[in-house]
């Protein structure tokens, strides 16, 4: 299936190109991000906020993470993805549907304020997940633009979505931290190869389609370089849907876990996929957009920490 | 095969322990390393010397590397090891036997001076190799102590060997740099599992024996932490034969190449393997020790650079 007036065609038969971005990066103006931070986001396609959450908030999230990791109802669910080799849980999708704590974090008013400032509208959650990169055997995530997949396989029309990655463990240089190419969000990297049927069944374990070529990555790296934000648990990265990113493997004993929420503008809801037959499941791409109402995650945590459960 | 009076028994059936090192780390005194550097080596098990070689020397080595990488006589030889997935050359062993330039580097008087200072004797090359970790698909090397293998599989009696890793490309935090656990050389980590026959045929592609357990690595990391020396091409790391080290994968476009020479004391030549049947091939463990005579690699390079070939 090909859409003739597609601004960002991908999964092309041959001769994949790098096209300029035609959408804005920042849609709004006022909000909690300073003009400098907003300009940085515009230029680099991401903004790193060290120690954004308090230790108390991190404690609540880590306890919740451990509880989800071992919950049989979660392990058995289609929302859980396991490591090919070890069988350990690698990701839990749609985490806000199985956890009140992560649902409250996703709606945190501080995060939402920044996201709405960037996107200039109300927002909903397009996708969310917990990533659990275990120690010793954590595998790499190869370079990709999220938007390429969301556009081609989910029908996201424009580049008007922001991802928020919340570090639940310390990000060191050596435990497979997120690598981003600053400024790469200005370029749409077409990927070669038709999307196979039910691609999501294999793509979450090993990427084969929607993967940039070595030549494209060399060109982008020469333009943009590679940045590796590092910081303690509770740090967050806001990044544009089209920034090129990936991570190396992790043989250290330190696991790397993060919660990842994708906020899409309510004015950018999904259409039919631009380069795939059929739609991906609900937990990868929401087609029931609900505008998020801000919550006060910090006080939720404060209250929780005073209950016997967390004492 | 088990040796009853073995100071460092490994490949044990069960209940692998961490034993104290009984050998010195530094055997000599005077030489080019300052007292501070020598004390650092003694404490950490390694010493990082940034930009040790000149740009001219690096240029000569990189041209030689490219020439070896594509030489059919090298590709076809048993001394070359390829990546399991891509077939690209991952390592070339005994590199001083196929390259005058690397033979001259191995005998460099500046390096030899430091090595002899640490080992307190004449030395010979136990093993050498070029490591070519390619961009995009470079795989991890899991944690290991070299001495564990050289003792168990090659019969190296004592911890009296120094490795010198010469960076032929820039070492960034993101292209799979060498990670070391400072101080881990004081602990001998027994590994579980009998060594299979002809283990070297598979172990160079994927480690399964001679591998520390997760519990041992967690204990060591808690004691030692993880250090990641980074620097431009031409930097060198001298490290003790028993320091725990490894590296993550490399999905970046930047390859990571280094030359690696293992200098063993002439008073520590190989016996029969302590925990394996049979000996490994000559290119992995030399049984024909020849004391190295110092050479002036810098002037060799200077002379070379003035020939038409390098103009």
């Amino acid at each position: 299936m090909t859409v003739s007036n597609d601004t960002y065609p991908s999964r092309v038969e041959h001769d994949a190109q790098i096209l300029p971005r035609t959408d804005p990066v920042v849609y709004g103006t006022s909000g909690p991000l300073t003009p400098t931070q907003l300009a940085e986001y515009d230029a680099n396609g991401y903004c790193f906020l060290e120690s954004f959450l308090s230790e108390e908030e991190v404690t609540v999230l880590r306890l919740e993470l451990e509880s989800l990791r071992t919950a049989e109802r979660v392990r058995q669910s289609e929302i859980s993805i396991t490591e090919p080799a070890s069988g350990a849980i690698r990701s839990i999708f749609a985490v806000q549907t199985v956890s009140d704590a992560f649902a409250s974090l996703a709606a945190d008013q501080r995060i939402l304020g920044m996201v709405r400032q960037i996107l200039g509208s109300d927002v909903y959650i397009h996708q969310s997940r917990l990533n659990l990169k275990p120690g010793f055997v954590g595998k790499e995530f190869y370079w990709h633009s999220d938007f390429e997949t969301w556009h081609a396989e989910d029908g996201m029309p424009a580049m008007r979505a922001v991802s928020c990655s919340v570090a639940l463990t310390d990000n060191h240089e050596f435990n497979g931290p997120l690598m981003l190419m600053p400024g790469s969000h200005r370029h749409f990297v077409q990927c070669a190869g038709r999307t196979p049927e039910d691609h999501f069944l294999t793509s979450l374990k090993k990427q084969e389609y929607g993967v940039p070529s070595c030549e494209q990555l060399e060109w982008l790296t020469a333009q943009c370089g590679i940045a590796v934000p590092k910081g303690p648990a509770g740090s967050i990265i806001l990044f544009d849907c089209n920034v090129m990113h990936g991570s190396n493997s992790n043989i250290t004993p330190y696991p790397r876990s993060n919660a990842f929420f994708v906020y899409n503008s309510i004015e950018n809801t999904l259409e039919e996929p631009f380069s795939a037959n059929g739609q991906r499941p609900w937990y990868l791409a929401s087609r029931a957009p609900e505008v998020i109402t801000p919550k006060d995650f910090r006080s939720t945590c404060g209250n929780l920490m005073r209950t016997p459960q967390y004492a």
Side-chain angles (χ1 to χ4, degrees), chain A:
Chain A
M1 177 174 178
T2 336
V3 178
S4 62
N5 61 350
D6 184 359
T7 320
Y8 300 116
S10 194
R11 314 297 166 98
V12 295
E13 292 284 351
H14 47 73
D15 202 22
Q17 304 287 319
I18 297 183
L19 309 176
R21 176 186 187 126
T22 56
D23 297 315
V25 177
V26 173
Y27 290 76
T29 49
S30 59
L33 290 169
T34 65
T36 308
Q37 287 175 317
L38 208 57
E40 184 190 321
Y41 185 90
D42 193 50
N44 296 332
Y46 74 94
C47 186
F48 178 61
L49 301 165
E50 195 168 321
S51 301
F52 184 82
L53 298 184
S54 68
E55 282 186 30
E56 195 170 73
E57 290 169 287
V58 172
T59 301
V60 166
L61 294 173
R62 287 174 72 144
L63 289 169
E64 181 73 4
L65 170 74
E66 281 316 308
S67 139
L68 290 170
R69 187 208 293 274
T70 51
E72 206 49 35
R73 74 187 161 99
V74 176
R75 281 194 72 83
Q76 297 294 333
S77 164
E78 60 183 352
I79 65 173
S80 294
I81 310 295
T82 53
E83 290 271 343
S86 66
I89 290 185
R90 171 175 172 154
S91 300
I92 301 170
F93 282 89
V95 64
Q96 78 282 5
T97 65
V98 290
S99 159
D100 288 343
F102 282 105
S104 171
L105 173 64
D108 179 67
Q109 59 195 13
R110 295 162 296 175
I111 296 175
L112 268 190
M114 299 186 289
V115 167
R116 291 169 50 128
Q117 181 181 9
I118 293 167
L119 298 181
S121 71
D122 278 335
V123 300
Y124 72 98
I125 294 184
H126 167 65
Q127 185 193 92
S128 82
R129 59 175 186 262
L130 276 183
N131 287 319
L132 302 136
K133 181 178 262 191
F136 305 113
V137 296
K139 290 298 162 208
E140 61 259 26
F141 280 82
Y142 199 67
W143 297 107
H144 62 286
S145 149
D146 292 322
F147 178 77
E148 195 277 341
T149 298
W150 299 339
H151 184 73
E153 300 195 24
D154 297 332
M156 183 182 284
M159 296 179 183
R160 196 172 175 182
V162 171
S163 296
C164 176
S165 172
V166 180
L168 301 176
T169 47
D170 296 346
N171 278 331
H172 302 280
E173 60 181 333
F174 46 66
N175 64 338
L178 181 68
M179 305 188 286
L180 309 119
M181 296 192 193
S184 58
H185 62 307
R186 298 276 178 196
H187 307 280
F188 180 73
V189 178
Q190 286 190 322
C191 296
R194 289 256 180 149
T195 317
E197 295 276 329
D198 289 340
H199 180 221
F200 72 93
L201 290 175
T202 55
S203 69
L204 298 175
K205 301 210 178 192
K206 189 170 191 310
Q207 281 276 329
E208 285 181 78
Y209 298 86
V211 174
S213 71
C214 293
E215 292 71 26
Q216 289 172 325
L217 290 171
E218 278 167 354
W219 185 87
L220 265 188
T221 312
Q223 305 289 314
C224 303
I226 295 173
V228 191
K230 291 167 292 287
S235 301
I236 72 171
I237 305 176
L238 294 171
F239 60 104
D240 181 84
C241 56
N242 189 46
V243 78
M244 190 62 69
H245 62 286
S247 64
N248 281 319
S249 65
N250 177 23
I251 67 165
T252 78
Y254 303 101
R256 189 174 73 83
S257 305
N258 60 67
F260 177 80
F261 301 105
V262 182
Y263 301 96
N264 191 21
S265 167
I266 197 70
E267 296 166 18
N268 194 39
T269 53
L270 303 190
E271 300 174 1
E272 287 304 304
F274 286 84
S275 311
N277 294 312
Q279 300 174 352
R280 297 202 300 169
W282 65 274
Y283 56 87
L284 295 182
S286 169
R287 292 185 176 272
E290 272 182 58
V291 168
I292 312 175
T293 313
K295 288 186 182 150
D296 186 351
F297 178 62
R298 187 157 37 181
S299 18
T300 308
C301 288
N303 293 338
L304 265 177
M305 292 296 282
R306 284 186 287 279
T307 64
Q309 186 187 353
Y310 288 93

